[in-house]
Amino acid sequence: QVQVVESGGGLVQAGGSLRLSCAASGRIVSINGMGWHREAPGKRRELVAFMTSGGTTNYQDSVRGRFTISRDNAENTVYLQMNSLKPEDTAVYYCNANLNTGTVPRASYWGQGTQVTVSS
């Protein structure tokens, strides 16, 4: 059994910063990659940032240079530092973990989501 739990969302003014955290726990042999997606009202869920086990990162163009994804391998945790936030960054942010559980080599798990609201 695997759990993916996010934290760190909230309300911030435009130009401000927030840091999201996501921890994966349970029956995990190894982590293939972890990252963040977001879903704004009336829009499809989209990739924000992702980091592979090898450390390769991928960012959505609209956040590159403002957001930084990092990880703590010992804690199976990934972070998203969000700076220079804009109202259009308002969304529910979901953590995604691609894990080797031993029985399934590439299993995808999602967190429950955390709300980020940026006021203008």
Side-chain angles (χ1 to χ4, degrees), residues 42-100:
K43 296 187 176 181
R44 296 173 62 179
R45 190 173 297 189
E46 59 182 9
L47 172 71
V48 176
F50 197 83
M51 179 179 280
T52 69
S53 59
T56 300
T57 56
N58 183 31
Y59 293 93
Q60 183 190 112
D61 287 345
S62 68
V63 308
R64 189 173 289 113
R66 299 188 297 122
F67 292 10
T68 302
I69 189 169
S70 61
R71 67 186 179 190
D72 182 336
N73 290 333
E75 299 294 331
N76 289 342
T77 298
V78 67
Y79 305 96
L80 186 68
Q81 178 67 43
M82 304 185 294
N83 298 330
S84 302
L85 281 160
K86 304 175 181 180
E88 50 264 43
D89 294 317
T90 295
V92 178
Y93 283 69
Y94 295 92
C95 179
N96 175 251
N98 191 292
L99 310 172
N100 179 355

CSV table of all heavy atoms in Angstrom, one decimal, residues 42-100:
chain,number,residue,atom,x,y,z
A,42,GLY,N,-12.1,24.7,-14.8
A,42,GLY,CA,-12.5,24.7,-16.2
A,42,GLY,C,-11.4,24.3,-17.1
A,42,GLY,O,-11.5,24.4,-18.4
A,43,LYS,N,-10.2,23.9,-16.6
A,43,LYS,CA,-9.1,23.5,-17.4
A,43,LYS,C,-8.7,22.1,-17.2
A,43,LYS,O,-9.0,21.5,-16.1
A,43,LYS,CB,-7.9,24.5,-17.2
A,43,LYS,CG,-8.2,25.9,-17.6
A,43,LYS,CD,-7.0,26.8,-17.5
A,43,LYS,CE,-7.2,28.2,-18.0
A,43,LYS,NZ,-6.0,29.0,-17.9
A,44,ARG,N,-7.9,21.6,-18.1
A,44,ARG,CA,-7.4,20.2,-17.9
A,44,ARG,C,-6.2,20.2,-17.0
A,44,ARG,O,-5.5,21.2,-16.9
A,44,ARG,CB,-7.0,19.7,-19.3
A,44,ARG,CG,-8.2,19.5,-20.3
A,44,ARG,CD,-7.7,19.1,-21.6
A,44,ARG,NE,-7.0,17.8,-21.6
A,44,ARG,CZ,-6.5,17.2,-22.7
A,44,ARG,NH1,-6.6,17.9,-23.9
A,44,ARG,NH2,-5.9,16.1,-22.6
A,45,ARG,N,-6.0,19.1,-16.4
A,45,ARG,CA,-4.8,18.9,-15.5
A,45,ARG,C,-3.6,19.0,-16.4
A,45,ARG,O,-3.5,18.4,-17.5
A,45,ARG,CB,-4.8,17.6,-14.8
A,45,ARG,CG,-3.8,17.5,-13.7
A,45,ARG,CD,-4.0,16.2,-12.8
A,45,ARG,NE,-5.2,16.2,-12.1
A,45,ARG,CZ,-5.5,15.3,-11.2
A,45,ARG,NH1,-4.7,14.4,-10.9
A,45,ARG,NH2,-6.7,15.4,-10.6
A,46,GLU,N,-2.5,19.7,-16.0
A,46,GLU,CA,-1.3,19.9,-16.8
A,46,GLU,C,-0.1,19.7,-15.9
A,46,GLU,O,-0.1,20.0,-14.7
A,46,GLU,CB,-1.3,21.3,-17.4
A,46,GLU,CG,-1.3,22.5,-16.3
A,46,GLU,CD,-1.4,23.8,-16.9
A,46,GLU,OE1,-1.5,24.0,-18.2
A,46,GLU,OE2,-1.2,24.8,-16.2
A,47,LEU,N,1.0,19.3,-16.6
A,47,LEU,CA,2.2,19.1,-15.9
A,47,LEU,C,2.8,20.5,-15.5
A,47,LEU,O,2.8,21.4,-16.4
A,47,LEU,CB,3.2,18.4,-16.8
A,47,LEU,CG,4.6,18.2,-16.3
A,47,LEU,CD1,4.7,17.3,-15.2
A,47,LEU,CD2,5.6,17.8,-17.5
A,48,VAL,N,3.3,20.5,-14.3
A,48,VAL,CA,4.0,21.7,-13.9
A,48,VAL,C,5.5,21.5,-13.9
A,48,VAL,O,6.3,22.2,-14.4
A,48,VAL,CB,3.6,22.2,-12.5
A,48,VAL,CG1,4.4,23.4,-12.0
A,48,VAL,CG2,2.1,22.5,-12.5
A,49,ALA,N,6.0,20.4,-13.2
A,49,ALA,CA,7.4,20.1,-13.1
A,49,ALA,C,7.5,18.6,-12.7
A,49,ALA,O,6.7,18.1,-11.9
A,49,ALA,CB,8.1,21.0,-12.0
A,50,PHE,N,8.6,18.0,-13.1
A,50,PHE,CA,8.8,16.6,-12.8
A,50,PHE,C,10.3,16.3,-12.7
A,50,PHE,O,11.1,17.0,-13.4
A,50,PHE,CB,8.2,15.7,-13.9
A,50,PHE,CG,8.0,14.3,-13.5
A,50,PHE,CD1,6.9,13.9,-12.8
A,50,PHE,CD2,9.0,13.3,-13.9
A,50,PHE,CE1,6.7,12.6,-12.4
A,50,PHE,CE2,8.8,12.0,-13.5
A,50,PHE,CZ,7.7,11.6,-12.8
A,51,MET,N,10.6,15.4,-11.8
A,51,MET,CA,12.0,15.1,-11.7
A,51,MET,C,12.2,13.5,-11.7
A,51,MET,O,11.5,12.8,-11.0
A,51,MET,CB,12.6,15.6,-10.3
A,51,MET,CG,14.1,15.2,-10.1
A,51,MET,SD,14.8,15.8,-8.6
A,51,MET,CE,15.1,17.5,-9.1
A,52,THR,N,13.1,13.0,-12.6
A,52,THR,CA,13.3,11.6,-12.7
A,52,THR,C,14.2,11.1,-11.6
A,52,THR,O,14.9,11.9,-10.9
A,52,THR,CB,13.9,11.2,-14.0
A,52,THR,OG1,15.2,11.7,-14.1
A,52,THR,CG2,13.0,11.8,-15.2
A,53,SER,N,14.4,9.8,-11.4
A,53,SER,CA,15.3,9.3,-10.4
A,53,SER,C,16.7,9.7,-10.7
A,53,SER,O,17.5,9.8,-9.8
A,53,SER,CB,15.2,7.7,-10.4
A,53,SER,OG,15.5,7.2,-11.7
A,54,GLY,N,17.0,10.0,-12.0
A,54,GLY,CA,18.4,10.4,-12.3
A,54,GLY,C,18.6,11.9,-12.1
A,54,GLY,O,19.7,12.3,-12.3
A,55,GLY,N,17.6,12.6,-11.7
A,55,GLY,CA,17.7,14.0,-11.5
A,55,GLY,C,17.4,14.9,-12.6
A,55,GLY,O,17.4,16.1,-12.5
A,56,THR,N,16.9,14.3,-13.7
A,56,THR,CA,16.5,15.1,-14.9
A,56,THR,C,15.2,15.8,-14.6
A,56,THR,O,14.3,15.2,-14.0
A,56,THR,CB,16.3,14.3,-16.1
A,56,THR,OG1,17.6,13.6,-16.4
A,56,THR,CG2,15.9,15.1,-17.3
A,57,THR,N,15.1,17.1,-14.9
A,57,THR,CA,13.9,17.9,-14.6
A,57,THR,C,13.2,18.3,-15.9
A,57,THR,O,13.9,18.5,-16.9
A,57,THR,CB,14.2,19.1,-13.7
A,57,THR,OG1,15.2,19.9,-14.4
A,57,THR,CG2,14.8,18.7,-12.3
A,58,ASN,N,11.9,18.5,-15.7
A,58,ASN,CA,11.1,19.0,-16.9
A,58,ASN,C,10.1,20.0,-16.3
A,58,ASN,O,9.4,19.7,-15.3
A,58,ASN,CB,10.4,17.8,-17.5
A,58,ASN,CG,9.6,18.3,-18.8
A,58,ASN,OD1,10.0,19.2,-19.4
A,58,ASN,ND2,8.5,17.6,-19.0
A,59,TYR,N,10.1,21.2,-16.9
A,59,TYR,CA,9.2,22.2,-16.4
A,59,TYR,C,8.2,22.7,-17.6
A,59,TYR,O,8.6,22.7,-18.7
A,59,TYR,CB,9.9,23.5,-16.0
A,59,TYR,CG,10.8,23.3,-14.7
A,59,TYR,CD1,12.1,22.9,-14.8
A,59,TYR,CD2,10.2,23.5,-13.5
A,59,TYR,CE1,12.9,22.8,-13.7
A,59,TYR,CE2,11.0,23.3,-12.3
A,59,TYR,CZ,12.3,23.0,-12.4
A,59,TYR,OH,13.1,22.8,-11.3
A,60,GLN,N,7.0,23.0,-17.1
A,60,GLN,CA,6.1,23.7,-18.1
A,60,GLN,C,6.7,25.1,-18.4
A,60,GLN,O,7.3,25.7,-17.5
A,60,GLN,CB,4.8,23.9,-17.4
A,60,GLN,CG,3.7,24.5,-18.3
A,60,GLN,CD,2.5,24.9,-17.6
A,60,GLN,OE1,2.2,26.1,-17.4
A,60,GLN,NE2,1.8,23.9,-17.1
A,61,ASP,N,6.6,25.5,-19.7
A,61,ASP,CA,7.2,26.8,-20.1
A,61,ASP,C,6.8,27.9,-19.2
A,61,ASP,O,7.6,28.8,-18.9
A,61,ASP,CB,6.9,27.0,-21.5
A,61,ASP,CG,7.6,26.1,-22.5
A,61,ASP,OD1,8.6,25.5,-22.1
A,61,ASP,OD2,7.2,26.1,-23.7
A,62,SER,N,5.6,28.0,-18.8
A,62,SER,CA,5.1,29.1,-18.1
A,62,SER,C,5.6,29.3,-16.7
A,62,SER,O,5.5,30.3,-16.0
A,62,SER,CB,3.5,29.1,-18.0
A,62,SER,OG,3.1,28.0,-17.2
A,63,VAL,N,6.2,28.2,-16.1
A,63,VAL,CA,6.8,28.3,-14.8
A,63,VAL,C,8.3,28.2,-14.7
A,63,VAL,O,8.9,28.5,-13.7
A,63,VAL,CB,6.2,27.2,-13.9
A,63,VAL,CG1,4.7,27.1,-13.9
A,63,VAL,CG2,6.8,25.8,-14.2
A,64,ARG,N,8.9,27.9,-15.9
A,64,ARG,CA,10.4,27.8,-15.9
A,64,ARG,C,11.0,29.1,-15.5
A,64,ARG,O,10.6,30.2,-16.0
A,64,ARG,CB,10.8,27.4,-17.3
A,64,ARG,CG,12.3,27.0,-17.4
A,64,ARG,CD,12.7,26.5,-18.7
A,64,ARG,NE,12.1,25.1,-19.0
A,64,ARG,CZ,11.2,24.9,-19.9
A,64,ARG,NH1,10.7,25.8,-20.6
A,64,ARG,NH2,10.7,23.7,-20.0
A,65,GLY,N,12.0,29.1,-14.6
A,65,GLY,CA,12.6,30.3,-14.1
A,65,GLY,C,12.0,30.8,-12.8
A,65,GLY,O,12.6,31.6,-12.1
A,66,ARG,N,10.7,30.4,-12.6
A,66,ARG,CA,10.0,30.8,-11.3
A,66,ARG,C,9.9,29.7,-10.3
A,66,ARG,O,9.9,29.9,-9.1
A,66,ARG,CB,8.6,31.4,-11.7
A,66,ARG,CG,8.7,32.6,-12.6
A,66,ARG,CD,7.3,33.2,-12.8
A,66,ARG,NE,6.3,32.3,-13.4
A,66,ARG,CZ,5.2,31.9,-12.8
A,66,ARG,NH1,4.9,32.3,-11.6
A,66,ARG,NH2,4.4,31.1,-13.5
A,67,PHE,N,9.6,28.5,-10.8
A,67,PHE,CA,9.4,27.3,-10.0
A,67,PHE,C,10.7,26.5,-10.0
A,67,PHE,O,11.3,26.3,-11.0
A,67,PHE,CB,8.2,26.5,-10.4
A,67,PHE,CG,6.9,27.2,-10.3
A,67,PHE,CD1,6.8,28.5,-9.9
A,67,PHE,CD2,5.7,26.4,-10.5
A,67,PHE,CE1,5.5,29.1,-9.8
A,67,PHE,CE2,4.5,27.0,-10.4
A,67,PHE,CZ,4.4,28.3,-10.0
A,68,THR,N,11.0,25.8,-8.9
A,68,THR,CA,12.1,24.9,-8.8
A,68,THR,C,11.6,23.6,-8.1
A,68,THR,O,11.1,23.7,-7.0
A,68,THR,CB,13.3,25.5,-8.0
A,68,THR,OG1,13.7,26.7,-8.7
A,68,THR,CG2,14.5,24.5,-8.0
A,69,ILE,N,11.9,22.5,-8.7
A,69,ILE,CA,11.6,21.2,-8.1
A,69,ILE,C,12.9,20.6,-7.5
A,69,ILE,O,13.9,20.7,-8.1
A,69,ILE,CB,10.9,20.2,-9.1
A,69,ILE,CG1,10.4,19.0,-8.4
A,69,ILE,CG2,11.9,19.9,-10.3
A,69,ILE,CD1,9.6,18.1,-9.3
A,70,SER,N,12.7,20.0,-6.3
A,70,SER,CA,13.9,19.4,-5.7
A,70,SER,C,13.4,18.2,-4.9
A,70,SER,O,12.2,18.0,-4.8
A,70,SER,CB,14.6,20.4,-4.8
A,70,SER,OG,13.7,20.8,-3.7
A,71,ARG,N,14.3,17.4,-4.4
A,71,ARG,CA,13.9,16.2,-3.7
A,71,ARG,C,14.8,15.9,-2.5
A,71,ARG,O,16.0,16.4,-2.4
A,71,ARG,CB,13.9,15.0,-4.7
A,71,ARG,CG,15.3,14.7,-5.1
A,71,ARG,CD,15.3,13.6,-6.2
A,71,ARG,NE,16.6,13.3,-6.7
A,71,ARG,CZ,16.9,12.6,-7.7
A,71,ARG,NH1,15.9,12.1,-8.4
A,71,ARG,NH2,18.2,12.3,-8.0
A,72,ASP,N,14.3,15.1,-1.6
A,72,ASP,CA,15.0,14.5,-0.5
A,72,ASP,C,14.9,13.0,-0.7
A,72,ASP,O,13.8,12.4,-0.3
A,72,ASP,CB,14.5,15.0,0.8
A,72,ASP,CG,15.3,14.4,2.0
A,72,ASP,OD1,15.9,13.4,1.9
A,72,ASP,OD2,15.2,15.1,3.1
A,73,ASN,N,15.9,12.3,-1.2
A,73,ASN,CA,15.8,10.9,-1.5
A,73,ASN,C,15.6,10.1,-0.3
A,73,ASN,O,14.8,9.1,-0.3
A,73,ASN,CB,17.0,10.4,-2.3
A,73,ASN,CG,17.1,11.0,-3.7
A,73,ASN,OD1,16.1,11.3,-4.3
A,73,ASN,ND2,18.3,11.1,-4.2
A,74,ALA,N,16.2,10.5,0.8
A,74,ALA,CA,16.1,9.7,2.1
A,74,ALA,C,14.7,9.7,2.6
A,74,ALA,O,14.3,8.7,3.3
A,74,ALA,CB,17.1,10.3,3.1
A,75,GLU,N,13.9,10.8,2.3
A,75,GLU,CA,12.6,10.9,2.8
A,75,GLU,C,11.5,10.6,1.8
A,75,GLU,O,10.3,10.8,2.1
A,75,GLU,CB,12.4,12.3,3.4
A,75,GLU,CG,13.3,12.7,4.6
A,75,GLU,CD,13.1,11.8,5.8
A,75,GLU,OE1,11.9,11.4,6.0
A,75,GLU,OE2,14.0,11.6,6.6
A,76,ASN,N,11.9,10.2,0.6
A,76,ASN,CA,11.0,10.0,-0.5
A,76,ASN,C,10.1,11.2,-0.7
A,76,ASN,O,8.8,11.1,-0.8
A,76,ASN,CB,10.1,8.7,-0.3
A,76,ASN,CG,10.9,7.5,-0.4
A,76,ASN,OD1,12.0,7.5,-1.0
A,76,ASN,ND2,10.4,6.4,0.1
A,77,THR,N,10.7,12.4,-0.7
A,77,THR,CA,9.9,13.6,-0.7
A,77,THR,C,10.4,14.5,-1.8
A,77,THR,O,11.6,14.6,-2.1
A,77,THR,CB,10.1,14.4,0.6
A,77,THR,OG1,9.6,13.6,1.7
A,77,THR,CG2,9.3,15.7,0.6
A,78,VAL,N,9.4,15.2,-2.5
A,78,VAL,CA,9.8,16.1,-3.5
A,78,VAL,C,9.1,17.5,-3.1
A,78,VAL,O,8.1,17.5,-2.5
A,78,VAL,CB,9.3,15.6,-4.9
A,78,VAL,CG1,7.7,15.6,-4.9
A,78,VAL,CG2,9.8,16.5,-6.0
A,79,TYR,N,9.8,18.5,-3.5
A,79,TYR,CA,9.4,19.9,-3.1
A,79,TYR,C,9.2,20.7,-4.4
A,79,TYR,O,9.8,20.4,-5.4
A,79,TYR,CB,10.4,20.6,-2.3
A,79,TYR,CG,10.8,19.8,-1.0
A,79,TYR,CD1,11.9,19.0,-1.0
A,79,TYR,CD2,10.0,19.9,0.1
A,79,TYR,CE1,12.2,18.3,0.2
A,79,TYR,CE2,10.3,19.2,1.3
A,79,TYR,CZ,11.4,18.4,1.3
A,79,TYR,OH,11.8,17.7,2.4
A,80,LEU,N,8.3,21.7,-4.3
A,80,LEU,CA,8.1,22.6,-5.4
A,80,LEU,C,8.2,24.0,-4.8
A,80,LEU,O,7.3,24.4,-4.1
A,80,LEU,CB,6.8,22.4,-6.2
A,80,LEU,CG,6.6,23.3,-7.4
A,80,LEU,CD1,7.6,22.9,-8.5
A,80,LEU,CD2,5.2,23.2,-7.9
A,81,GLN,N,9.3,24.7,-5.1
A,81,GLN,CA,9.5,26.1,-4.6
A,81,GLN,C,8.9,27.0,-5.7
A,81,GLN,O,9.4,27.0,-6.9
A,81,GLN,CB,10.9,26.4,-4.4
A,81,GLN,CG,11.2,27.9,-4.0
A,81,GLN,CD,10.6,28.2,-2.6
A,81,GLN,OE1,10.7,27.4,-1.7
A,81,GLN,NE2,9.9,29.4,-2.5
A,82,MET,N,7.9,27.8,-5.3
A,82,MET,CA,7.2,28.6,-6.3
A,82,MET,C,7.4,30.1,-6.0
A,82,MET,O,7.0,30.5,-4.9
A,82,MET,CB,5.7,28.3,-6.3
A,82,MET,CG,5.4,26.8,-6.6
A,82,MET,SD,3.6,26.5,-6.7
A,82,MET,CE,3.1,26.8,-5.1
A,83,ASN,N,8.1,30.8,-6.8
A,83,ASN,CA,8.4,32.2,-6.6
A,83,ASN,C,7.7,33.0,-7.7
A,83,ASN,O,7.3,32.5,-8.7
A,83,ASN,CB,9.9,32.4,-6.6
A,83,ASN,CG,10.7,31.7,-5.6
A,83,ASN,OD1,10.2,31.5,-4.5
A,83,ASN,ND2,11.9,31.3,-5.9
A,84,SER,N,7.7,34.3,-7.4
A,84,SER,CA,7.0,35.3,-8.4
A,84,SER,C,5.7,34.7,-8.8
A,84,SER,O,5.4,34.7,-10.0
A,84,SER,CB,8.0,35.5,-9.6
A,84,SER,OG,9.2,36.0,-9.1
A,85,LEU,N,4.9,34.3,-7.9
A,85,LEU,CA,3.6,33.7,-8.3
A,85,LEU,C,2.7,34.8,-8.9
A,85,LEU,O,2.7,35.9,-8.6
A,85,LEU,CB,2.9,33.2,-7.0
A,85,LEU,CG,3.5,31.8,-6.6
A,85,LEU,CD1,3.2,31.5,-5.1
A,85,LEU,CD2,3.0,30.7,-7.5
A,86,LYS,N,1.9,34.2,-9.9
A,86,LYS,CA,0.9,35.0,-10.6
A,86,LYS,C,-0.5,34.5,-10.4
A,86,LYS,O,-0.7,33.3,-10.1
A,86,LYS,CB,1.3,34.9,-12.1
A,86,LYS,CG,2.7,35.3,-12.5
A,86,LYS,CD,3.0,35.1,-14.0
A,86,LYS,CE,4.4,35.5,-14.3
A,86,LYS,NZ,4.7,35.2,-15.8
A,87,PRO,N,-1.5,35.4,-10.6
A,87,PRO,CA,-2.9,34.9,-10.4
A,87,PRO,C,-3.2,33.7,-11.3
A,87,PRO,O,-3.9,32.8,-10.9
A,87,PRO,CB,-3.7,36.1,-10.9
A,87,PRO,CG,-2.8,37.3,-10.5
A,87,PRO,CD,-1.4,36.8,-10.8
A,88,GLU,N,-2.6,33.6,-12.5
A,88,GLU,CA,-2.8,32.4,-13.4
A,88,GLU,C,-2.2,31.1,-12.8
A,88,GLU,O,-2.4,30.1,-13.4
A,88,GLU,CB,-2.3,32.7,-14.8
A,88,GLU,CG,-0.9,33.2,-14.9
A,88,GLU,CD,-0.9,34.7,-15.0
A,88,GLU,OE1,-1.6,35.4,-14.2
A,88,GLU,OE2,0.0,35.2,-15.8
A,89,ASP,N,-1.4,31.2,-11.8
A,89,ASP,CA,-0.9,30.0,-11.1
A,89,ASP,C,-1.9,29.4,-10.2
A,89,ASP,O,-1.7,28.3,-9.6
A,89,ASP,CB,0.4,30.3,-10.3
A,89,ASP,CG,1.5,30.7,-11.2
A,89,ASP,OD1,1.7,30.1,-12.3
A,89,ASP,OD2,2.3,31.7,-10.9
A,90,THR,N,-3.0,30.1,-10.0
A,90,THR,CA,-4.1,29.5,-9.1
A,90,THR,C,-4.6,28.2,-9.6
A,90,THR,O,-5.0,28.2,-10.8
A,90,THR,CB,-5.2,30.6,-8.9
A,90,THR,OG1,-4.7,31.7,-8.3
A,90,THR,CG2,-6.4,30.0,-8.1
A,91,ALA,N,-4.6,27.2,-8.8
A,91,ALA,CA,-5.0,25.9,-9.2
A,91,ALA,C,-4.9,24.9,-8.0
A,91,ALA,O,-4.4,25.3,-7.0
A,91,ALA,CB,-4.2,25.3,-10.3
A,92,VAL,N,-5.5,23.8,-8.2
A,92,VAL,CA,-5.2,22.7,-7.2
A,92,VAL,C,-4.0,22.0,-7.8
A,92,VAL,O,-3.9,21.6,-8.9
A,92,VAL,CB,-6.4,21.7,-7.1
A,92,VAL,CG1,-6.0,20.5,-6.2
A,92,VAL,CG2,-7.6,22.4,-6.6
A,93,TYR,N,-3.0,21.8,-6.9
A,93,TYR,CA,-1.7,21.2,-7.3
A,93,TYR,C,-1.7,19.8,-6.8
A,93,TYR,O,-1.9,19.5,-5.6
A,93,TYR,CB,-0.5,22.0,-6.7
A,93,TYR,CG,-0.3,23.2,-7.5
A,93,TYR,CD1,-1.2,24.3,-7.5
A,93,TYR,CD2,0.9,23.4,-8.3
A,93,TYR,CE1,-0.9,25.5,-8.2
A,93,TYR,CE2,1.1,24.5,-9.0
A,93,TYR,CZ,0.2,25.6,-9.0
A,93,TYR,OH,0.4,26.7,-9.7
A,94,TYR,N,-1.4,18.8,-7.7
A,94,TYR,CA,-1.4,17.4,-7.4
A,94,TYR,C,0.0,16.9,-7.5
A,94,TYR,O,0.7,17.1,-8.5
A,94,TYR,CB,-2.3,16.6,-8.3
A,94,TYR,CG,-3.8,17.0,-8.2
A,94,TYR,CD1,-4.4,18.0,-9.0
A,94,TYR,CD2,-4.6,16.3,-7.3
A,94,TYR,CE1,-5.7,18.3,-8.8
A,94,TYR,CE2,-5.9,16.6,-7.1
A,94,TYR,CZ,-6.5,17.6,-7.9
A,94,TYR,OH,-7.8,17.9,-7.8
A,95,CYS,N,0.4,16.1,-6.6
A,95,CYS,CA,1.7,15.4,-6.6
A,95,CYS,C,1.5,14.0,-7.3
A,95,CYS,O,0.5,13.3,-7.1
A,95,CYS,CB,2.2,15.1,-5.2
A,95,CYS,SG,3.8,14.3,-5.2
A,96,ASN,N,2.4,13.7,-8.2
A,96,ASN,CA,2.4,12.4,-8.8
A,96,ASN,C,3.7,11.7,-8.6
A,96,ASN,O,4.8,12.2,-8.7
A,96,ASN,CB,2.2,12.6,-10.4
A,96,ASN,CG,2.3,11.2,-11.1
A,96,ASN,OD1,3.3,11.0,-11.8
A,96,ASN,ND2,1.3,10.4,-10.9
A,97,ALA,N,3.6,10.4,-8.2
A,97,ALA,CA,4.7,9.6,-7.9
A,97,ALA,C,4.7,8.4,-8.7
A,97,ALA,O,3.7,7.6,-8.7
A,97,ALA,CB,4.8,9.2,-6.4
A,98,ASN,N,5.8,8.1,-9.5
A,98,ASN,CA,5.9,6.9,-10.3
A,98,ASN,C,6.9,6.0,-9.6
A,98,ASN,O,8.1,6.3,-9.5
A,98,ASN,CB,6.4,7.3,-11.7
A,98,ASN,CG,6.3,6.1,-12.7
A,98,ASN,OD1,7.0,5.1,-12.5
A,98,ASN,ND2,5.4,6.2,-13.6
A,99,LEU,N,6.3,4.9,-9.1
A,99,LEU,CA,7.1,4.1,-8.1
A,99,LEU,C,7.3,2.6,-8.6
A,99,LEU,O,6.4,2.1,-9.3
A,99,LEU,CB,6.4,4.1,-6.8
A,99,LEU,CG,5.9,5.4,-6.2
A,99,LEU,CD1,5.1,5.2,-5.0
A,99,LEU,CD2,7.2,6.2,-5.9
A,100,ASN,N,8.3,2.0,-8.1
A,100,ASN,CA,8.5,0.6,-8.2
A,100,ASN,C,8.0,0.0,-6.9
A,100,ASN,O,8.7,0.2,-5.9
A,100,ASN,CB,10.0,0.2,-8.5
A,100,ASN,CG,10.2,-1.3,-8.6
A,100,ASN,OD1,9.3,-2.1,-8.4
A,100,ASN,ND2,11.4,-1.7,-8.9
